[in-house]
Amino acid sequence: MDAAHLTGLLEHLDIRDEDALECAGLLASKPSPGVSDAITAMEHRLGTFPSEGIPSAGQSEAEWIEAFLRFAPTVHEYHVGLGINAGTSWASLADLGLQLRVNRRVHGRFGLDTWGWMTLHMAGNMFRLGRLQFHLVRSNGSESPTSSTAASGWELGVHIPEDGSLSPGVVDQAFAEARTFFAQHFPDKPVTEATCDSWMLDPYLAEHLPAGNIASFARRFTVSHCTDAPADAVYFTFRQRGLEGLEALPRKTSLQRVVLERIDDGGSWQLGHGRLAL
């Protein structure tokens, strides 16, 4: 890859500063067998609408990063072939740059401990539309879908990138964009419902911070049940893995205080599983 194409790729994927230098180094030599195997696995899944990530075959984080860098242009070409705007395609794939920055914050180094998450983007069915990410997948029926969802066989998984506000207006705009986008580009896969599995949908959060944007977002969904996810709230609020050393974490915001005080009181954060009609 020549310098101009490399610079363009890193810009499209929103990879910056030290991460850009590290990524350029990965692409400076021939891919290892592990990288080639990862690319082959992604090739087999492109356009198949998977809902789960690719299991590792022993690749390191660096090998997965290199594989994503090499394969992202192929995914982009697939998107454009579907008539999807080039900007929307790159905005969707640019989660790679965000995840590299998150990894540096969490671990203080170059890497990608969320590489499994990024394999979903590389299947070509995850899109960043405004404030939210939407993942077009087959309905598995595990969350008691309505008859309309069961009939269509498709639904949208909703995910929440960390880089912006969840104010009602921008969320409304994202859902409106999603309704138009999927009807236009995937008319044979009609969706009438969206799902979200998140600690933000734990009813405890809306009860204790009822006036916030997170509570407003959560109230859009009907939560069918919750499952234990004791570390999720800590990870997404503080970008810390695990529940050790919580006494050293800041309690400056109301959200930080609620997250930590629940744990202090012996409680456990939950993953709320919700649905909404589009």
Side-chain angles (χ1 to χ4, degrees):
M1 186 179 299
D2 62 39
H5 282 92
L6 173 60
T7 299
L9 177 63
L10 297 178
E11 289 178 351
H12 283 313
L13 297 177
D14 196 21
I15 299 173
R16 312 170 190 171
D17 306 324
E18 293 176 281
D19 292 332
L21 294 175
E22 296 275 7
C23 287
L26 293 177
L27 295 175
S29 58
K30 183 178 178 180
S32 68
V35 171
S36 297
D37 288 346
I39 291 173
T40 298
M42 290 188 286
E43 287 173 340
H44 290 161
R45 284 161 49 101
L46 183 60
T48 65
F49 301 91
S51 59
E52 302 293 335
I54 300 175
S56 180
Q59 289 92 347
S60 66
E61 289 180 17
E63 286 179 315
W64 276 110
I65 295 168
E66 182 179 342
F68 296 146
L69 294 168
R70 294 184 183 278
F71 194 62
T74 300
V75 183
H76 177 67
E77 290 176 6
Y78 166 76
H79 285 161
V80 172
L82 294 175
I84 293 168
N85 177 275
T88 298
S89 172
W90 285 124
S92 303
L93 296 170
D95 200 27
L96 179 58
L98 175 60
Q99 294 301 317
L100 289 172
R101 291 191 293 279
V102 168
N103 191 93
R104 194 173 286 277
R105 283 165 49 197
V106 173
H107 301 290
R109 61 168 175 81
F110 177 69
L112 191 66
D113 70 355
T114 55
W115 63 266
W117 162 249
M118 286 305 307
T119 65
L120 297 174
H121 300 63
M122 299 299 159
N125 59 323
M126 177 86 72
F127 299 96
R128 176 75 184 260
L129 302 173
R131 178 64 184 88
L132 302 173
Q133 292 166 314
F134 297 90
H135 188 200
L136 179 60
V137 295
R138 293 175 178 83
S139 173
N140 61 20
S142 64
E143 299 286 340
S144 302
T146 65
S147 58
S148 61
T149 300
S152 76
W154 296 91
E155 62 190 20
L156 294 179
V158 178
H159 305 281
I160 311 159
E162 71 161 32
D163 56 348
S165 166
L166 275 179
S167 64
V170 297
V171 174
D172 286 343
Q173 184 176 359
F175 277 110
E177 188 173 347
R179 285 190 289 271
T180 301
F181 177 88
F182 288 100
Q184 176 182 352
H185 297 293
F186 300 95
D188 59 330
K189 299 172 177 62
V191 289
T192 58
E193 285 194 347
T195 67
C196 185
D197 304 311
S198 173
W199 72 277
M200 292 185 181
L201 270 60
D202 184 333
Y204 182 95
L205 189 56
E207 291 170 6
H208 287 76
L209 293 175
N213 285 336
I214 293 177
S216 174
F217 178 82
R219 282 192 290 266
R220 295 170 184 266
F221 294 85
T222 298
V223 176
S224 61
H225 67 286
C226 295
T227 54
D228 284 340
D232 274 24
V234 172
Y235 176 68
F236 288 107
T237 303
F238 299 98
R239 290 304 185 186
Q240 171 180 302
R241 295 289 189 190
L243 299 176
E244 294 76 31
L246 300 185
E247 67 280 356
L249 295 176
R251 301 184 184 227
K252 297 179 180 179
T253 69
S254 56
L255 178 61
Q256 290 172 344
R257 290 191 292 273
V258 165
V259 168
L260 295 176
E261 287 169 3
R262 185 181 190 184
I263 299 171
D264 291 344
D265 293 340
S268 178
W269 283 94
Q270 305 281 298
L271 196 70
H273 302 275
R275 309 186 74 87
L276 63 74
L278 289 171

